[in-house]
Amino acid sequence: MEQAPKSLRLHIGIFGRTNVGKSSLLNLISGQPAAITSPIAGTTTDVVSKPMELLPLGPVVFLDTAGLDDVSELGTERLRKTYKVFGQADIITLVTEAGQWGDTEKRVVQEALSRKIPLITIVNKCDLAPLSPEFRDAVKTETNGGAVIAVSSSDPAARDRFLNEYKQALIEFCPDDFLVPPPLVADLVAPGDAVVLLIPIDLQAPKGRLILPQVQTLRDALDHDNIAIMVKEGRYRQALDNLKTPAALAICDSQVVDLMVRETPDDMPCTTFSILFARLKGDMAAMAAGAAAIENLKRHGGKVLIAEACTHHETEDDIGRVKIPRWLRRYTGRDDLDIEVFAGCNYPDDLNSYSLVILCGGCMLNRRAVLSRIQQANAAGIPVTNYGMCISYCQGVLRRVLTPFPEALRAFDEVQSCD
Ligand SMILES: Nc1nc2c(ncn2[C@@H]2O[C@H](COP(=O)(O)OP(=O)(O)OP(=O)(O)O)[C@@H](O)[C@H]2O)c(=O)[nH]1
Ligand SMILES: [Mg+2]
């Protein structure tokens, strides 16, 4: 995590009056005493910089500043340093208290709006004065619809709930640049390497074309100067045998994953389009850990949410409505598994009744939307995975197709070893 270059970290500037609890908020978020706090106004003098990893968002750095209303002798110098942070921040967190909205808060909002930096307002010390709906609405109006979150930052018990709400707001409001996805295959193979793509052409395959994940992966391989070979699963072995230099990677549609794994030499990396998309659109490690939680369904049963992003025409052997439920029931040996399917924008607000959430590959969703769904599941403490990972798990080959991704493999093994 410490290796992530600074420019790729989301810089979050924390601003507000002296003594409002900016440093206490930083300490609550980081879960450690990163900044000195005290009841004396003007405790923070220099900017305190705290890098951390905020999953599923990624690497961030918090910049805790001196109060903007500091009128002490050294105040001018402190103000100069604080103002510099406006120039570094990708997102601004304004800390205030219930009912407190004066020149300082207006100045922060003005800086944010004029620099087009997204703003999240934290109403702190809610143990002393709760956030009223009227004040929440007033802040929303003043900040042009920015997020408003209540907290009591001196209370460690408030951490989980607050962090979940805060992360959801960061995912919603952070600039697009910080949602740039990792590559599809470029970091897995070298230019000139052969990559074999296994594409089943079954009844579900759309007439006359390939589906988006296949096209995107093919394009990525070509962009990185790979030799891309596309075959139906029946020609996979022949394609491998015909190559003078062994292929560096095979990628298959999850529905033929057991065939690919059976026919791929042990020392050749292989994976699935779904796994590549878990990384491209969301958080691969979280989804690998989520797949391992299918084991709990075997033991305890439960309710499963299948969330499909698009509202395609339902087919006889529909992946979300028919095939995945069938695989899950067969693997867990539970015919009574309660499976609910939500499609399109339809996504439940409350996930608490579910034991597992299975998202589709998300080819029609952007990274922000998938991360938001993952964070919602994380917040509810519900494991989350995707279609392809679920299929590979039920076929007993997920570990094999995760091997090109050590971090995801670790997350998967950790859950398995806890069982
Ligand atoms: N009751 C209550 N006290 C809080 C809360 N958050 C912070 N405090 C107290 O408020 C005082 C100021 O907190 P700091 O975190 O130092 O505030 P700051 O905004 O960083 O202050 P400066 O660095 O001086 O600008 C400390 O005594 C904290 O313990 C809260 O949620 N509730
Ligand atoms: Mg401080």
Side-chain angles (χ1 to χ4, degrees):
M1 183 276 284
E2 294 301 329
Q3 269 117 48
K6 255 198 141 179
S7 57
L8 291 181
R9 287 182 183 279
L10 180 74
H11 282 51
I12 306 171
I14 305 179
F15 300 90
R17 301 180 189 201
T18 48
N19 226 22
V20 71
K22 302 178 295 300
S23 304
S24 305
L25 184 77
L26 174 63
N27 294 346
L28 182 78
I29 293 169
S30 62
Q32 46 179 253
I36 300 169
T37 65
S38 89
I40 302 160
T43 301
T44 306
T45 52
D46 268 332
V47 176
V48 175
S49 158
K50 173 74 190 157
M52 63 184 99
E53 182 84 0
L54 264 194
L55 291 173
L57 191 68
V60 303
V61 57
F62 284 94
L63 302 165
D64 176 26
T65 64
L68 273 166
D69 58 343
D70 192 336
V71 289
S72 67
E73 242 174 77
L74 285 170
T76 329
E77 178 56 11
R78 289 176 193 166
L79 274 183
R80 199 183 60 77
K81 287 186 173 166
T82 296
Y83 266 92
K84 249 179 92 178
V85 176
F86 281 119
Q88 298 167 350
D90 303 302
I91 194 157
I92 287 174
T93 289
L94 163 63
V95 186
T96 186
E97 291 171 36
Q100 202 168 70
W101 200 264
D103 287 347
T104 305
E105 291 73 27
K106 286 181 184 162
R107 211 177 322 153
V108 175
V109 173
Q110 178 55 34
E111 290 294 336
L113 294 181
S114 65
R115 294 165 187 262
K116 298 193 167 48
I117 308 172
L119 179 99
I120 297 172
T121 305
I122 310 282
V123 179
N124 191 31
K125 304 197 185 182
C126 280
D127 54 323
L128 302 179
L131 167 63
S132 68
E134 295 75 27
F135 188 62
R136 179 189 288 273
D137 289 348
V139 173
K140 270 225 167 274
T141 311
E142 290 278 338
T143 60
N144 253 355
V148 186
I149 303 173
V151 71
S152 169
S153 66
S154 57
D155 174 12
R159 184 166 187 259
D160 280 357
R161 184 203 56 79
F162 168 73
L163 258 188
N164 283 324
E165 218 178 316
Y166 188 54
K167 282 194 227 175
Q168 194 58 268
L170 288 172
I171 291 169
E172 187 180 340
F173 288 96
C174 82
D176 291 343
D177 293 358
F178 291 91
L179 295 166
V180 173
L184 263 166
V185 293
D187 59 332
L188 303 173
V189 286
D193 280 348
V195 177
V196 184
L197 311 180
L198 275 87
I199 316 263
I201 305 291
D202 56 13
L203 285 177
Q204 273 75 52
K207 271 207 167 17
R209 60 184 178 87
L210 299 171
I211 59 171
L212 203 53
Q214 297 160 355
V215 175
Q216 266 179 266
T217 308
L218 175 62
R219 174 60 201 254
D220 197 63
L222 294 175
D223 280 343
H224 293 93
D225 216 10
N226 294 122
I227 299 161
I229 300 162
M230 295 186 115
V231 285
K232 290 195 285 190
E233 67 274 25
R235 296 282 174 195
Y236 178 49
R237 193 63 251 180
Q238 187 184 347
L240 291 186
D241 291 344
N242 283 354
L243 285 169
K244 276 199 193 132
T245 313
L249 179 68
I251 307 162
C252 74
D253 186 291
S254 303
Q255 303 195 46
V256 294
V257 70
D258 58 335
L259 176 140
M260 179 185 73
V261 166
R262 243 190 349 262
E263 298 197 346
T264 305
D266 288 345
D267 57 351
M268 181 179 147
C270 61
T271 193
T272 68
F273 292 111
S274 290
I275 288 174
L276 294 176
F277 266 67
R279 181 169 76 147
L280 186 81
K281 299 279 179 163
D283 180 342
M284 184 195 267
M287 287 180 161
I294 292 173
E295 222 41 46
N296 288 332
L297 293 177
K298 207 174 188 174
R299 272 184 234 129
H300 312 294
K303 195 157 94 172
V304 178
L305 168 67
I306 294 191
E308 195 150 89
C310 52
T311 46
H312 62 242
H313 179 64
E314 250 179 77
T315 58
E316 207 177 292
D317 216 12
D318 199 76
I319 178 102
R321 286 166 190 78
V322 182
K323 284 187 175 166
I324 292 194
R326 195 164 58 212
W327 269 310
L328 271 177
R329 291 198 170 106
R330 192 181 303 153
Y331 178 79
T332 58
R334 287 188 170 266
D335 286 340
D336 59 343
L337 217 53
D338 186 4
I339 300 177
E340 276 182 14
V341 181
F342 278 68
C345 307
N346 241 339
Y347 190 73
D349 287 332
D350 184 4
L351 299 176
N352 281 307
S353 62
Y354 299 101
S355 305
L356 177 67
V357 175
I358 308 179
L359 303 176
C360 67
C363 61
M364 302 309 283
L365 290 179
N366 63 19
R367 189 166 162 80
R368 195 186 301 273
V370 178
L371 284 176
S372 177
R373 288 180 172 200
I374 293 174
Q375 170 54 27
Q376 201 185 322
N378 288 350
I382 314 294
V384 56
T385 189
N386 77 0
Y387 278 14
M389 290 222 197
C390 168
I391 297 171
S392 292
Y393 187 84
C394 291
Q395 308 274 13
V397 295
L398 182 56
R399 203 170 187 287
R400 169 72 166 105
V401 286
L402 281 176
T403 37
F405 308 97
E407 198 191 326
L409 195 60
R410 246 191 324 271
F412 175 74
D413 284 343
E414 261 169 35
V415 177
Q416 290 236 302
S417 64
C418 291
D419 286 337

